[in-house]
Amino acid sequence: MSRSATDSNIHQPSEREAQEDRHEPSDAEKEKYVDQTESSPERPNKMAQSLVEPKTIRTDRNKPEQSETGGQKDAHSNEQEVQDETRTIRALEGPLRLQEEELVYTVVGKGKGKGVTKLFKMNTDAESALPYQRTILYVDAYDSFSNNIVALLETSLGAHVTIVMSDAKIPDLPRAMACYDAVVLGPGPGDPTKSKDIELFKQIWQVDEDNCPPVLGICLGFQSLAFTFGATIERMKIPKHGLVTTIDHCPDALFSTPAPIDSTQYHSLRVFLNTPVEKADPLHPLELWDTRFLYSPSESVPLLMPLAWDADDQDNGLIVMAIKHTVKPFWGIQFHPESICSSAEAKVVIMNFWELALDYNRNSKRFRSDEEMTRDGLDGTPIFGLPRRRSVLQRAAYWKSLPPPTPDPAMAAMSYPTTDKKTRIRGPHKVFTAKVHIEDLPVLEVVEELQNLKYRLILLDSAVSRSEVGRYSVIGIVDEGTTKVIEHTSGESLVNISVAREKFHSNALLRTHKLRDGETVWDFLAAYNEEHKVFGGTASSPFWGGLMGYLSYESGMKTEYCADDCVGRGRAKAPDTVFAHVERSLVIDQDAGKVYIQSTKRHDGEWIKSTKDVVRLLVSEIETRKAKQERPQEFKRLVDDIQTHKPDFLPTEVRKSIDQALNQTNLDNCLASAIIKRPDEKQYKKKVRRCLEHIRAGDTYELCLTDQTLVLVRKHESWDYSWQLYKSLRRNNPAPFAAYLHLSDVTILSSSPERFLSWTRDGTCQLRPIKGTVKKEPGIDRRVATRILEQDKEQAENLMIVDLIRHDLHGVVGAGNVEVKKLMEVEEYETVFQLVSVIEGRFQNVKPQLQTHSQTQSGAPQPEQVETATTQSEPTTDAPFIGYTGLDVLQSAHPPGSMTGAPKLASCAILHKLEGHKPRGVYSGVIGYMCGGGGGDFSVLIRCAYRRDGEIVTTTVPQTGEEIEHEVWRVGAGGAVTALSDPKAEWDEMNAKLDSTLAAFAPSACESSEVEAGRAAEEEGGGEGDRENLAPA
């Protein structure tokens, strides 16, 4: 296969850029190259670990490799002692002690990344101690898999890893490199021919040989190595993202086994070394090639030796997968050994590089004594890099320790985070609980009984049970006049704390907190939660009281979004962070058949008792109704007689049946004239094609494109139909993470199948992404759906998000504490089959929990017992805890990776432009709770609709001229676009998800995707005149 300078697939940098970026070999290097490329002998594999237990002096080639969770993986056997003339590990008699040095950190880069860096100096009682801990510099190119690589380095090598961003400005780079035993240049979006994408990479490759430590480039780092030393970078015909392929390699020391290895690839660009095998017919079998052609440098790129090839791709031909520099200690690999689907042999490549690096350092005498390090000014000096992120509790404690800011006369009051004396909550509060035992208690009827008592509610509804999920439903009581509501809008510096008022009335502002420079709403939430802790609840109840609410998609974004996407008159923008401080709640355990009635208010026994009576009465009514409904004709005659004569007294079961019928009739009347504006098919497909262009250019791996549908529903003057609409949505599309919320002028109806994040009181967090969808249709059963979901495109979608989530978790819980519990398993829902994975993390610094009810000295409570303050002693107050909690994971992982794509930062920026700079709002956000006693649970807001109270669109009926006021509901839907996506298939998938929600508004909307809606108010530049000729669905 010939290549020419005019090939459109080849990136052509400017002549000046090429001269600056590329390194031309000197005569001396060419002479070395001639000497070293006569043969490529295999170097012995030696495992040298930097941190070992006393007297552990050998490397077990056959010793099982440690997995992320501490499990073991098979490897082949080969034991060998590792000796070093500068230190004798054998002499260490006691465990190594690590003492943390006090450091002043210098943050470099542009602040977009995150990292882990602390300098530890090692001290031992032995005479021949290690002069300093083995260290690796990791350069992060703003990738969403970087923390997985760092975790692999830390767990498999035992080295300390310092992270720096790829756009960092490091003065005196050669001297800085002397601090490290090795450098790893990581993957990331971008193009190695563009200097801005590999700024620091390029500088490291050009550091002189005497100062530069061994370097390994991965993916983008690999491509930058190749381009710097003369290779060409091409666009692949078909990019490979999230695909696992077999890699053939030569018998080089970088690989431990002669057999091919399986590893995941994430790249749109490829390296072209101008070898004969790359120019040949792609169908030519690899095994027919002479190894001299496969594993020897080409004449045009003499300093780079190919070590491995991907021969599985007939579209792209042979692709080089690994290279090494023939003079300098530089290696590069195109594949991702850190991916969850990469084989153990692929991960061993990292260990082999480490051995090669240590060998090189010994031979080049890069190891230095304490005296040499001190003489050169390196001993004890701060290592540059990004500091480990402080926990939200640590940051909250810091902000609280500062003097209060100077009050602004224009603001009512500011404080952090307490309130005035009348509303201040002092210390942890006891949870008072009553339990009622009942099997199959209908959640919706419990809600309606409480609504009849004029309570406003937040419902987190397990409408259907699935394996491991769908056990609990949580009902939070919003007490008008007492329940506090926290509101914040992204981009603003004010956090409002209000008191909830009656429905359709704005909350009464209680106080305002002004965020300082550098302070975030996450810090405020952490501080608020700490000051409103609760204790003594029943251990089996996941929620005792605390914050319930939602976070919009934009609440997790740093991109500036437009402030107003209102399509009619009324409120312009809903807040992005909304939480109610719930003190009264009911938790329904559907597996155990129990209802927990809970309050954290003092002296609230009367409410607990009356609510328990309501639940008991409801149970009795349900049993009575079931008995009467066994005689349907008799029951119907009774209803007809009552409707005819209208007696003053109605039996309860009859009254409820009539009320339900009337409510459904009212809802049908509102929906009869509903107007639906779907996304435009041509525009959506055009956006998919633009996504594919970005993927092929190497800008991103996956983009989760979405669009918004507007549903205009006739306003009812005296009745809010949202609860009836939620019941319709729940009936059509039952899901384990459904939700109903009306708070801060926002109404949310959700039938989400996807858990975003949960965490337990004992320190385990779980994310449960869904990626890969097949619509239920005639002929599509589970077996057929499974076969479809096993295709490369669907598997790649899910794998990319799994690896992204592992990255998010590793950044908080650290290396060795992440486990993939379930990988790409098919689950069945009412309207679709979906591919589900489960990833868990474990906090190592778990906060000691306040005692639960089951831990009290008084013993386990009796059924239906109402607890009193005397059943448990108050908790002791220790020093403030500043470790990591579920709130840290929530901040790190939000917005959900399943709604952004990967890498997350680059994907969000691209999607922001493709989606017209419009905020997604509630859609793609999360909804759930943070318990004041520890624990939390949030679901992704998909298959949902939301409304802003007071946002009204007026339409005119052409025949009569009548003006009708409509409320605006927004319904989002979309799908993940990968390199294997087809625009039509993406359009169909988006509509399949959209239809499952629209069925609640107008069943006929699901029969055709071409509902005529006229000119919607959503269109850019639309004014009031654009809203007058909207046709009903």
Side-chain angles (χ1 to χ4, degrees):
M1 186 183 305
S2 62
R3 296 291 192 277
S4 67
T6 58
D7 192 335
S8 61
N9 285 331
I10 298 179
H11 287 253
Q12 297 295 332
S14 66
E15 186 66 27
R16 179 179 178 183
E17 185 180 18
Q19 290 177 358
E20 291 176 349
D21 291 354
R22 291 185 174 172
H23 170 78
E24 292 298 329
S26 64
D27 292 339
E29 287 176 327
K30 289 179 180 178
E31 290 177 6
K32 286 185 179 182
Y33 156 70
V34 172
D35 293 338
Q36 296 183 19
T37 56
E38 292 298 329
S39 62
S40 179
E42 181 180 1
R43 300 179 66 180
N45 285 320
K46 300 178 184 177
M47 176 70 175
Q49 293 183 334
S50 58
L51 292 179
V52 293
E53 290 298 324
K55 299 185 179 180
T56 302
I57 58 174
R58 64 176 179 268
T59 278
D60 299 342
R61 223 354 143 209
N62 231 352
K63 183 178 179 180
E65 177 197 352
Q66 292 296 315
S67 70
E68 289 182 313
T69 57
Q72 294 184 337
K73 299 181 179 180
D74 294 332
H76 58 79
S77 101
N78 177 21
E79 296 185 354
Q80 196 169 20
E81 290 188 356
V82 177
Q83 308 226 345
D84 191 331
E85 63 274 11
T86 61
R87 57 193 185 283
T88 308
I89 300 177
R90 247 190 298 258
L92 301 180
E93 293 297 332
L96 304 179
R97 297 197 300 272
L98 301 180
Q99 296 181 352
E100 183 176 352
E101 298 290 316
E102 188 172 349
L103 294 178
V104 178
Y105 291 109
T106 301
V107 179
V108 292
K110 296 181 179 177
K112 294 184 286 186
K114 57 275 167 194
V116 183
T117 180
K118 282 188 179 179
L119 174 64
F120 291 92
K121 185 169 182 179
M122 184 173 295
N123 298 290
T124 71
D125 297 329
E127 293 183 357
S128 53
L130 297 173
Y132 59 98
Q133 185 184 359
R134 301 274 181 81
T135 56
I136 295 175
L137 175 66
Y138 180 80
V139 183
D140 183 358
Y142 296 99
D143 196 57
S144 287
F145 305 144
S146 293
N147 290 336
N148 299 335
I149 299 176
V150 171
L152 180 60
L153 294 171
E154 291 180 338
T155 55
S156 62
L157 308 181
H160 170 69
V161 180
T162 296
I163 299 178
V164 68
M165 304 313 294
S166 59
D167 54 3
K169 307 296 183 184
I170 302 176
D172 196 0
L173 183 62
R175 179 176 175 273
M177 291 295 98
C179 299
Y180 298 97
D181 297 289
V183 177
V184 177
L185 307 183
D191 186 336
T193 67
K194 299 177 181 177
S195 294
K196 65 181 181 62
D197 292 341
I198 58 165
E199 202 168 329
L200 185 55
F201 288 15
K202 181 176 61 176
Q203 297 174 32
I204 291 175
W205 295 128
Q206 295 174 349
V207 170
D208 61 276
E209 188 176 349
D210 293 335
N211 290 297
C212 190
V215 184
L216 174 68
I218 301 176
C219 200
L220 182 62
F222 159 84
Q223 294 171 2
S224 70
L225 167 62
F227 181 74
T228 301
F229 292 98
T232 303
I233 304 300
E234 300 180 357
R235 284 192 183 185
M236 298 170 66
K237 291 182 179 179
I238 300 180
K240 290 190 171 185
H241 293 293
L243 300 180
V244 181
T245 61
T246 300
I247 297 168
D248 294 276
H249 57 84
C250 67
D252 187 83
L254 195 62
F255 302 96
S256 299
T257 172
I261 63 176
D262 294 329
S263 191
T264 307
Q265 297 184 42
Y266 290 106
H267 61 111
S268 300
L269 309 178
R270 60 171 291 175
V271 167
F272 185 72
L273 298 174
N274 201 29
T275 61
V277 297
E278 292 170 298
K279 301 175 184 178
D281 186 342
L283 298 179
H284 190 74
L286 184 72
E287 56 271 16
L288 297 183
W289 281 100
D290 191 309
T291 55
R292 289 176 299 175
F293 295 105
L294 286 172
Y295 304 116
S296 296
S298 67
E299 292 182 1
S300 57
V301 192
L303 292 179
L304 298 179
M305 178 182 294
L307 303 178
W309 297 90
D310 176 5
D312 284 350
D313 194 335
Q314 295 183 359
D315 295 300
N316 293 301
L318 285 175
I319 305 173
V320 63
M321 286 286 109
I323 57 176
K324 71 176 179 181
H325 196 283
T326 58
V327 178
K328 294 185 176 183
F330 296 160
W331 290 264
I333 54 176
Q334 177 66 80
F335 54 89
H336 283 243
E338 84 286 353
S339 172
I340 192 61
C341 284
S342 291
S343 65
E345 290 78 10
K347 293 175 172 59
V348 171
V349 169
I350 294 292
M351 301 165 67
N352 294 337
F353 161 73
W354 185 239
E355 297 174 29
L356 293 167
L358 296 180
D359 284 347
Y360 175 85
N361 289 338
R362 280 191 292 269
N363 295 333
S364 62
K365 299 183 180 179
R366 290 192 71 250
F367 283 127
R368 305 189 184 194
S369 65
D370 287 335
E371 293 77 14
E372 290 173 320
M373 295 287 285
T374 303
R375 181 196 66 199
D376 295 338
L378 297 174
D379 188 26
T381 58
I383 294 179
F384 61 86
L386 295 172
R388 182 174 178 85
R389 58 181 292 167
R390 293 189 296 174
S391 71
V392 288
L393 287 175
Q394 190 176 9
R395 296 198 307 269
Y398 168 75
W399 295 116
K400 188 177 179 181
S401 69
L402 298 180
T406 304
D408 185 344
M411 298 172 57
M414 289 188 295
S415 57
Y416 190 94
T418 55
T419 65
D420 54 75
K421 293 182 179 180
K422 293 182 180 180
T423 58
R424 174 183 293 227
I425 296 181
R426 299 179 180 274
H429 269 203
K430 178 77 174 62
V431 182
F432 300 90
T433 306
K435 286 185 284 188
V436 177
H437 295 260
I438 174 62
E439 299 292 336
D440 300 325
L441 180 63
V443 175
L444 299 188
E445 295 205 33
V446 176
V447 171
E448 288 172 347
E449 286 297 320
L450 295 172
Q451 288 175 333
N452 290 336
L453 299 175
K454 306 304 181 184
Y455 286 121
R456 286 177 58 189
L457 308 169
I458 300 172
L459 171 63
L460 304 178
D461 182 10
S462 292
V464 65
S465 179
R466 289 283 183 270
S467 60
E468 306 170 5
V469 296
R471 175 177 176 178
Y472 297 100
S473 291
V474 180
I475 303 171
I477 308 295
V478 179
D479 288 313
E480 295 168 1
T482 60
T483 296
K484 298 178 186 63
V485 181
I486 299 171
E487 299 177 347
H488 177 257
T489 300
S490 295
E492 297 184 1
S493 61
L494 299 180
V495 179
N496 293 328
I497 300 90
S498 307
V499 175
R501 297 177 64 184
E502 60 183 299
K503 216 169 189 180
F504 302 117
H505 287 75
S506 298
N507 298 330
L509 183 64
L510 178 65
R511 64 187 179 93
T512 301
H513 171 74
K514 183 175 177 59
L515 299 173
R516 300 171 175 88
D517 289 342
E519 185 182 7
T520 69
V521 69
W522 303 96
D523 305 336
F524 179 86
L525 291 174
Y528 188 95
N529 241 6
E530 279 297 287
E531 289 215 351
H532 297 80
K533 292 185 292 188
V534 298
F535 71 99
T538 303
S540 56
S541 174
F543 179 75
W544 298 342
L547 298 180
M548 295 182 72
Y550 73 87
L551 295 162
S552 77
Y553 175 81
E554 283 71 41
S555 67
M557 302 291 295
K558 295 181 175 63
T559 308
E560 290 296 328
Y561 278 77
C562 63
D564 184 1
D565 68 335
C566 181
V567 300
R569 66 181 187 274
R571 181 165 186 159
K573 191 176 188 302
D576 294 298
T577 300
V578 177
F579 283 101
H581 178 202
V582 172
E583 298 174 285
R584 292 171 170 173
S585 60
L586 287 82
V587 174
I588 301 173
D589 185 341
Q590 293 162 154
D591 287 359
K594 296 179 181 178
V595 180
Y596 301 99
I597 303 166
Q598 307 164 131
S599 176
T600 61
K601 289 187 173 184
R602 300 181 188 275
H603 314 298
D604 206 23
E606 183 62 33
W607 178 84
I608 292 178
K609 183 178 183 300
S610 63
T611 305
K612 184 174 67 172
D613 292 341
V614 168
V615 174
R616 282 176 164 173
L617 181 61
L618 176 60
V619 172
S620 176
E621 290 176 0
I622 291 172
E623 292 175 349
T624 302
R625 186 167 68 246
K626 284 181 178 179
K628 289 186 176 181
Q629 287 177 344
E630 291 176 357
R631 303 185 295 276
Q633 295 300 323
E634 178 183 338
F635 184 73
K636 184 178 184 302
R637 284 195 301 271
L638 177 61
V639 173
D640 293 340
D641 184 63
I642 290 172
Q643 289 177 327
T644 302
H645 298 91
K646 295 182 172 56
D648 294 333
F649 174 76
L650 295 176
T652 302
E653 66 274 12
V654 176
R655 175 181 54 80
K656 287 185 177 180
S657 296
I658 294 174
D659 287 345
Q660 289 177 7
L662 290 175
N663 288 339
Q664 187 60 49
T665 300
N666 288 333
L667 177 63
D668 290 341
N669 291 335
C670 291
L671 297 179
S673 57
I675 300 168
I676 300 176
K677 165 61 178 175
R678 286 177 176 261
D680 181 77
E681 182 176 358
K682 291 182 178 179
Q683 289 298 316
Y684 191 83
K685 290 179 178 178
K686 181 179 178 181
K687 291 177 184 178
V688 173
R689 286 189 288 271
R690 290 179 62 189
C691 288
L692 292 171
E693 291 173 6
H694 282 289
I695 293 171
R696 293 184 184 117
D699 300 331
T700 183
Y701 316 147
E702 176 181 28
L703 290 168
C704 296
L705 180 68
T706 72
D707 212 329
Q708 198 171 82
T709 293
L710 294 184
V711 182
L712 308 184
V713 178
R714 186 167 188 165
K715 182 182 178 183
H716 196 286
E717 294 298 331
S718 60
W719 178 65
D720 179 21
Y721 56 85
S722 62
W723 173 250
Q724 199 70 23
L725 191 59
Y726 170 73
K727 290 167 63 177
S728 177
L729 175 65
R730 185 186 194 268
R731 183 170 56 252
N732 289 320
N733 192 38
F737 299 104
Y740 174 82
L741 174 147
H742 185 278
L743 200 63
S744 296
D745 302 335
V746 176
T747 304
I748 300 175
L749 321 175
S750 173
S751 58
S752 174
E754 181 175 354
R755 165 178 281 161
F756 171 51
L757 167 69
S758 67
W759 64 92
T760 62
R761 298 185 181 105
D762 65 357
T764 298
C765 53
Q766 180 191 91
L767 292 97
R768 206 170 186 277
I770 291 178
K771 254 318 168 238
T773 303
V774 174
K775 183 178 181 180
K776 279 188 173 179
E777 293 177 331
I780 304 292
D781 57 13
R782 188 183 184 92
R783 180 181 57 82
V784 175
T786 300
R787 188 168 65 249
I788 295 172
L789 291 171
E790 287 176 348
Q791 295 176 358
D792 285 346
K793 191 262 183 187
E794 309 296 335
Q795 299 272 307
E797 276 188 29
N798 199 284
L799 173 57
M800 280 186 264
I801 302 307
V802 170
D803 280 342
L804 183 152
I805 286 173
R806 291 172 58 238
H807 161 88
D808 288 338
L809 276 178
H810 274 132
V812 178
V813 304
N817 301 313
V818 176
E819 181 178 6
V820 177
K821 288 284 190 178
K822 181 187 293 186
L823 183 61
M824 293 184 278
E825 294 189 8
V826 178
E827 290 188 357
E828 181 177 357
Y829 294 89
E830 191 71 18
T831 59
V832 294
F833 295 94
Q834 298 205 286
L835 210 54
V836 181
S837 295
V838 177
I839 306 97
E840 291 187 354
R842 179 76 183 175
F843 297 106
Q844 294 304 294
N845 52 353
V846 181
K847 180 177 180 180
Q849 293 299 322
L850 301 174
Q851 287 183 317
T852 62
H853 190 95
S854 59
Q855 297 169 325
T856 61
Q857 296 180 354
S858 59
Q862 298 300 315
E864 304 178 14
Q865 173 186 353
V866 178
E867 301 177 23
T868 63
T870 60
T871 60
Q872 184 177 346
S873 59
E874 294 289 327
T876 58
T877 56
D878 299 320
F881 175 77
I882 57 175
Y884 294 98
T885 66
L887 186 56
D888 291 280
V889 180
L890 182 62
Q891 180 189 13
S892 174
H894 183 61
S898 61
M899 301 307 298
T900 63
K904 186 181 287 187
L905 188 66
S907 297
C908 288
I910 294 170
L911 290 168
H912 177 50
K913 295 177 182 178
L914 291 179
E915 295 177 5
H917 302 275
K918 296 177 182 177
R920 293 184 181 180
V922 168
Y923 173 68
S924 297
V926 297
I927 189 170
Y929 66 79
M930 289 182 277
C931 178
D937 203 346
F938 286 83
S939 63
V940 182
L941 280 164
I942 54 177
R943 319 291 195 275
C944 69
Y946 72 98
R947 172 191 68 186
R948 304 170 187 167
D949 294 348
E951 185 180 10
I952 302 298
V953 169
T954 302
T955 64
T956 302
V957 179
Q959 294 83 357
T960 63
E962 178 189 4
E963 290 191 345
I964 302 176
E965 289 189 336
H966 295 268
E967 295 180 314
V968 182
W969 290 85
R970 289 172 167 80
V971 181
V977 180
T978 71
L980 301 178
S981 291
D982 170 70
K984 183 181 184 305
E986 293 300 327
W987 168 255
D988 292 340
E989 179 181 335
M990 186 274 292
N991 275 288
K993 297 172 180 176
L994 181 61
D995 289 344
S996 66
T997 306
L998 289 184
F1001 291 90
S1004 61
C1006 293
E1007 297 173 7
S1008 171
S1009 63
E1010 299 178 354
V1011 178
E1012 178 62 34
R1015 294 195 301 270
E1018 180 191 33
E1019 293 177 348
E1020 295 183 11
E1024 284 295 329
D1026 292 323
R1027 303 182 186 118
E1028 295 178 355
N1029 298 312
L1030 299 175

